[in-house]
Structure formats: structure tokens, C-alpha cells
Amino acid sequence: MAIDIQKIRADFPVLSTKVHGKPLLYLDNGATTQKPRQVIERIKKYYEEENSNVHRGVHYLSQLATDKYEAARAYIARYINAASEKEIVFTRGTTESINLLATILEDNLSAGDEMLITAMEHHSNMVPWQQLCLRKKAKLKVVPVTPGGEIDMAVFSEMLSPKVKLVAFAHISNVLGTINPVKEMTRLAHKRGAIVIVDGAQALAHTPVDVQEINCDFYAFSAHKAYGPMGIGGLYGRESLLDRLPPYQFGGEMIDQVAFDTATFNASPQKFEAGTPNVAGVLGMETALRYIEEKGIENIQTHEDRLLEYATNRLEKITGMQIIGQARQKTAVLSFVVDGLHPYDLGTLLDQMGIAVRTGNHCAQPLVESYGLTGTVRASLAMYNTLEEIDLFVDALQKAIKMLR
Amino acid sequence: MTIQEKAQTVIDEFAMFDDWMDKYAYLIELGKDLPLIDEKYKDNQHLISGCQSRVWLHAELKDDRMYLTADSDAVITKGIASLLIRVLSGQAPKEILEADLGFLKDIGLQEHLSPTRANGLMSMIKQIQLYARAFLLKSQNA
Ligand SMILES: Cc1ncc(COP(=O)(O)O)c(C=O)c1O
């Protein structure tokens, strides 16, 4: 079934705004996607009709908010096919999920142990681990990326020494668009007995996510990159692991019993949710995922693949064009440089033409530098982008190149 | 010419373009024409970290006037640098410190003046003022 893009576009109010007097052409979806009316209205409805603190009150409204909040957890668990809703911890997003892990997994890494990440990681899935390894005097090893932008599985496998206790990698690279073979990577890491953490920030909006199929131990995600609100996301964690790991922050609903000199803690996932949660955010995230489900992630994928292929073909015809990231399994991201031109100049001129792209190192400085670059231009796609927009974008890019050459 | 007079000539020049394309095309030309900074000043000491485009700035005092040279790896940033240099270079440090740089707004480049804009322009202005203050202090102590 094909999706009706014009109907989808009508759901996203921001898409009909103008910038610099030109209709907005939004190609910065890797940074954050726009939000459909349904999500915006869900948040509004919560504050207008349901707002109350959760898990606390005896009163009607508190019970209502709690029910909706927990129902959202159950839906999200089902959406990524977790075995139980107890495996979903709400956080501010991917970055917080990974920082949480880098704290609570401390005892799983000792001096002399190793941890494996890949060279294509976002700073959020690199620096928390780097700092953990520094604290624990463990060694952080980085699996290189091939020039085409893929993980060489033979190298990955070889680097998985018996000393490796933790392995973390992105499901989809925000710079290269590479879809990593996460299931196979997890299988290999588990053979060594390592704990596997997947950074799913870029995956939710573009590909089906099934954590039991991947079989990873943890999976981190952000709502705002999948048509949901900012400031909310989650962490999937295998129940047996969450149960035995220590809390991250203290206070609020995560506490079971407390005296002045001691406290006991609630079971997971509440154990990891200190303080009043972002209830409106959680409901908005649920609505966003329902929106994706209604359109069908496979349909979205088909549409985005078509856009990607068309855009790639058009870009490749530009003299001096170098597309960064040519993985065989790739989605929704076009990172590129044009010989002799600075990405910042291209981005500035595109902006004047109403086109939002990102330029710079995309929070993956070591990766971008490994290509001998200080930055790229990145156009990243979402379900509401169209072939006509790709044409407008490439035409505008050619105009910018002409001005700069 | 005073800083104000120089700024006014820049404003007048830009007033001739009513289309942003022409304005940026002109800025790009200015960027390409910016006299090169002495290579030896393109080091970390002269680098102004502006996140995305790198900007190098050098200042020296001759006969109580401050002379500036700059370079950037992004040509639009270079163009803006060249405007700043045209207006400020060759003036006394005191004048530079007191200068009103509103002309950048008047020519429609206000978005480049936002402190969150990652192009190093604001840091460049701050750096110029820092040099000016240092030269001023030195001359007062001398
Ligand atoms: C691959 C990847 N990981 C992690 C993050 C961090 O996500 P957030 O800023 O939502 O915490 C991003 C966002 O840019 C990303 O693209």
C-alpha cells in the first residue's frame, strides 16, 4: 500500500510555514523530525483535561494520568516488541539513556577489561563510554568503518576479545545513514558474553525495531527523532538485567521504603524513573509511534528509499560531489561535500533559499575527521519529503555551488 | 575616514542590491578578494573557534593605529570578515572599542550576528575588541 504523502504533509503544520520568505523545505530530520498535529493535540489534551501527577494521588485525575502513562508504556513496549512493559524505562532521550547505562553498568567493567564501540558513533554513544572506561581504567576499543561507511564484520569479530565486557553501536548512523547488521553484531558479542547496547536514535522513524529479534540487552531511543516531542525517550532493557542493576538517580516514585539512614527501591522500571516524569511527553511519544504504525513503517521505508535513490542519482551528477556513506544497507541520510567548497557556505546559501540542512560534524567528530574532513552537508529525509522537494533541493544546491565557484 | 563614514559606505553599497542572491554573491566576491593573512599567523594562537568555519585573525599596532588581517576556510565568513576589516582596520584602538557595529544589521546580515550562529563572527568581533583593549592598555602604561 502506498502512502498519501500530501495527506501526511497536511498533518504537519510547520511544513506550510515560510523561512526567509520562501516555503520551508525541511531536510534536517536527522536532527529532529517535525511533529504532526495529532502529537501536538495529544499534548494539549493532556494539559487541558488530564494533567495530574502520576502514581501518587488517590483522586480521579491522578489515577487517569497514571493509567494513560502506563498504557503508553505498554504500547511502546509492544511497538518495539519488548517482552514486557517492565522493560521500558522513560528517560529524556537517547543521550540520557546511554548516560544512565554508563553509570549503572559500572560494576560490569573492571580495570583491564575492554569495551567495544564503532567509529561511526554519535558523541552521545561514545563519550559516556569513554569516560566510564577512563574511570574504570578499562580500554575503549573502536571498530573502524570502511571507506564506504560500513562495519567490517570480520574486524568486528576479531576485536571481540574475551576481555570485552560491553559492546555499544548505533542501529543507524546519523552521518552515514548506514543500517548496521545489529542482529549479527549482537549475536557475535553475546558469544563472548558481553552486554550489548544499541543506540536506536536514528532507527525508530525509518525502520522496524524489534528488540527481541535483535536480542540486544539495551536499546536507547528519542521520541523527537520519530515525530514525537522533545525531552522524552526511552531505554529498553532486558528485564533480568534491569532487575539486578542499581538505581541511577534517587527520589520520588523510585523509592519503596525510606528511613533517615536507609532506603529500599521500587522494582524496575520505576526504579530508574526518579522524580516526576514527563507525562505529556510520554503520551506524545505514544501518539507519534501510533502515527507511524498507522502509516506503516514498511510503506515509509519504501517511500524514503525511493527518495534516497533518486536524490543520490541526482547528486552524483554534480561535478566534485563526494557522497559520504555509501553503505549497501542505507537509509534517509545524504551526507556530502563538494570539492573546494566549505559546507558552511553551502548550508548558508541553502538556508537563504528556504532549505534546512545541517552542516558540520554532526556530533561525530572522529568519524568525519577520519574522512579527512572537518564537516559535511547533511540532508536527512522523513516520510513527508517528496520527489519534488528533492528536485528543489538539488537545483538550489547547484545554484549555491555556482555562486561559490 | 572615520569608522562611521566607512560603515556608511558599506551600507550604501549593499543598498544597491535588493535581492539576497546579489548580496551574497557580493559577499562571496569580497571573501575571495580578501588579502591573504600571512601564513605564519594561521596557527592555533590566531584561531578563533567558531564551531563550523575556522577563522584566523591577526592584529598589530603601527603609529597608534590597529591593522587587522584575517582568513577563514568558509568564503561567506571571509566576506563578512573583510567588511569588518574594511571598517575597523587602520583605526585607533579607542575608536574600535567604541565603534557601533550596527551596520552589519543594516545591510541585512543580522542573522550572522546571532551569538548562537556557529560562524565565529561574534567571537571575531570580541577578539578584535580584546586586541584593541590590550593595545590601549599598553599605550596607557607606556
Ligand atoms: C545516532 C545518534 N545517537 C544519539 C543521538 C542523541 O540523541 P538525543 O539528542 O535525542 O539524546 C543522536 C541525535 O543526534 C543520534 O543521531
Side-chain angles (χ1 to χ4, degrees):
Chain A
M1 190 193 80
I3 40 178
D4 182 347
I5 304 300
Q6 288 314 320
K7 193 159 156 262
I8 287 175
R9 290 184 70 81
D11 284 335
F12 289 79
V14 102
L15 296 181
S16 48
T17 60
K18 289 189 166 183
V19 295
H20 302 300
K22 315 262 180 349
L24 169 68
L25 202 175
Y26 190 76
L27 293 175
D28 193 17
N29 296 288
T32 197
T33 58
Q34 298 302 340
K35 324 301 173 199
R37 199 169 28 77
Q38 289 83 342
V39 168
I40 299 165
E41 275 163 16
R42 183 67 193 91
I43 295 168
K44 185 163 170 268
K45 177 175 154 72
Y46 171 73
Y47 282 119
E48 285 184 353
E49 299 171 24
E50 301 158 346
N51 174 57
S52 193
N53 212 327
V54 291
H55 296 300
R56 308 207 171 165
V58 293
H59 60 83
Y60 173 81
L61 216 50
S62 171
Q63 196 50 52
L64 180 71
T66 307
D67 288 348
K68 302 258 167 168
Y69 180 70
E70 291 304 327
R73 193 193 306 276
Y75 175 76
I76 291 162
R78 261 203 321 281
Y79 186 87
I80 61 170
N81 197 29
S84 135
E85 65 264 23
K86 291 191 196 131
E87 299 185 318
I88 304 295
V89 176
F90 291 127
T91 66
R92 282 195 295 132
T94 307
T95 304
E96 187 175 51
S97 295
I98 293 169
N99 276 279
L100 180 156
L101 288 174
T103 304
I104 66 175
L105 288 172
E106 237 179 43
D107 294 339
N108 292 74
L109 200 65
S110 313
D113 281 347
E114 292 176 355
M115 166 157 195
L116 218 56
I117 60 170
T118 84
M120 67 170 81
E121 299 314 312
H122 186 279
H123 295 164
S124 290
N125 194 31
M126 176 192 312
V127 184
W129 304 121
Q130 170 198 79
Q131 296 298 313
L132 169 65
C133 289
L134 287 171
R135 285 201 302 279
K136 305 294 287 193
K137 299 193 166 51
K139 188 159 182 225
L140 184 69
K141 295 203 302 187
V142 183
V143 184
V145 172
T146 65
E150 296 177 341
I151 302 293
D152 183 330
M153 290 301 283
V155 178
F156 177 76
S157 191
E158 208 168 282
M159 288 177 77
L160 277 168
S161 83
K163 286 186 184 166
V164 174
K165 296 291 163 25
L166 304 173
V167 179
F169 45 80
H171 192 165
I172 293 177
S173 158
N174 64 313
V175 180
L176 307 167
T178 310
I179 308 174
N180 283 316
V182 284
K183 188 177 168 188
E184 178 62 4
M185 291 168 84
T186 302
R187 192 183 66 81
L188 292 170
H190 277 166
K191 260 190 8 198
R192 288 292 186 201
I195 292 175
V196 175
I197 301 110
V198 180
D199 170 354
Q202 292 292 338
L204 226 42
H206 305 291
T207 189
V209 174
D210 181 333
V211 290
Q212 291 192 74
E213 157 100 4
I214 299 169
N215 200 26
C216 55
D217 300 295
F218 296 100
Y219 193 95
F221 53 94
S222 302
H224 74 95
K225 291 185 196 287
Y227 310 104
M230 286 190 170
I232 189 69
L235 174 67
Y236 157 81
R238 195 185 292 283
E239 192 175 354
S240 56
L241 271 168
L242 286 182
D243 280 344
R244 71 170 173 77
L245 287 167
Y248 170 51
Q249 292 175 337
F250 302 89
E253 194 50 35
M254 57 80 60
I255 288 167
D256 173 32
Q257 295 291 322
V258 66
F260 281 122
D261 54 358
T262 178
T264 58
F265 307 118
N266 249 325
S268 49
Q270 275 78 22
K271 179 168 72 174
F272 300 103
E273 294 176 4
T276 297
N278 180 356
V279 181
V282 166
L283 300 178
M285 169 158 65
E286 176 194 7
T287 306
L289 294 178
R290 286 188 188 277
Y291 187 87
I292 297 176
E293 189 176 37
E294 185 200 314
K295 306 301 169 202
I297 190 75
E298 282 84 9
N299 299 327
I300 295 170
Q301 244 177 335
T302 307
H303 172 64
E304 289 177 352
D305 283 351
R306 200 157 135 242
L307 294 181
L308 183 69
E309 192 190 325
Y310 182 69
T312 305
N313 284 337
R314 279 213 62 189
L315 286 181
E316 277 173 343
K317 295 199 176 78
I318 295 176
T319 322
M321 170 64 56
Q322 187 191 351
I323 295 178
I324 310 297
Q326 316 237 23
R328 284 157 294 181
Q329 297 294 319
K330 181 178 168 176
T331 183
V333 176
L334 286 149
S335 259
F336 62 86
V337 289
V338 182
D339 276 354
L341 304 184
H342 198 285
Y344 181 80
D345 288 327
L346 290 170
T348 302
L349 295 179
L350 287 171
D351 172 54
Q352 287 295 325
M353 294 184 252
I355 300 174
V357 294
R358 182 152 176 202
T359 64
N361 65 36
H362 318 295
C363 296
Q365 193 180 344
L367 173 67
V368 170
E369 284 174 357
S370 75
Y371 283 92
L373 303 168
T374 56
T376 74
V377 180
R378 182 187 71 181
S380 48
L381 310 168
M383 66 163 105
Y384 41 67
N385 290 125
T386 64
L387 287 172
E388 294 74 48
E389 282 185 316
I390 301 294
D391 278 332
L392 287 171
F393 160 62
V394 180
D395 293 346
L397 180 67
Q398 278 169 320
K399 194 163 161 182
I401 292 171
K402 211 165 134 202
M403 282 178 74
L404 289 163
R405 279 230 170 99
Chain B
M1 267 202 278
T2 67
I3 291 181
Q4 272 323 311
E5 285 162 352
K6 284 188 176 174
Q8 192 56 50
T9 64
V10 172
I11 294 171
D12 293 344
E13 261 171 36
F14 273 80
M16 300 188 311
F17 309 117
D18 37 31
D19 178 304
W20 74 268
M21 284 270 289
D22 298 333
K23 212 183 276 187
Y24 272 84
Y26 183 54
L27 211 51
I28 290 163
E29 286 322 306
L30 290 177
K32 286 180 179 164
D33 292 345
L34 181 67
L36 288 183
I37 191 171
D38 195 325
E39 274 302 314
K40 72 173 184 249
Y41 297 130
K42 274 175 80 168
D43 58 10
N44 280 338
Q45 216 189 322
H46 292 83
L47 183 67
I48 302 173
S49 53
C51 202
Q52 291 205 11
S53 54
R54 291 179 298 171
V55 182
W56 296 268
L57 179 77
H58 174 70
E60 62 187 19
L61 198 67
K62 257 194 301 208
D63 305 326
D64 294 328
R65 284 169 184 275
M66 195 167 133
Y67 292 88
L68 298 161
T69 48
D71 197 2
S72 170
D73 50 4
V75 70
I76 293 174
T77 309
K78 237 170 120 169
I80 298 172
S82 115
L83 289 179
L84 271 182
I85 288 177
R86 201 163 113 205
V87 172
L88 296 178
S89 190
Q91 304 286 342
K94 186 164 174 297
E95 305 297 328
I96 289 176
L97 277 176
E98 288 165 2
D100 169 11
L101 297 177
F103 77 94
L104 289 166
K105 272 203 188 76
D106 294 334
I107 62 177
L109 291 176
Q110 61 272 27
E111 71 245 34
H112 292 278
L113 280 172
S114 148
T116 53
R117 187 95 181 177
N119 66 0
L121 177 66
M122 276 313 272
S123 340
M124 189 156 129
I125 292 173
K126 282 209 185 86
Q127 190 62 36
I128 292 175
Q129 289 167 339
L130 219 63
Y131 275 125
R133 201 162 294 127
F135 285 138
L136 197 64
L137 269 176
K138 226 155 116 196
S139 67
Q140 282 164 351
N141 292 341

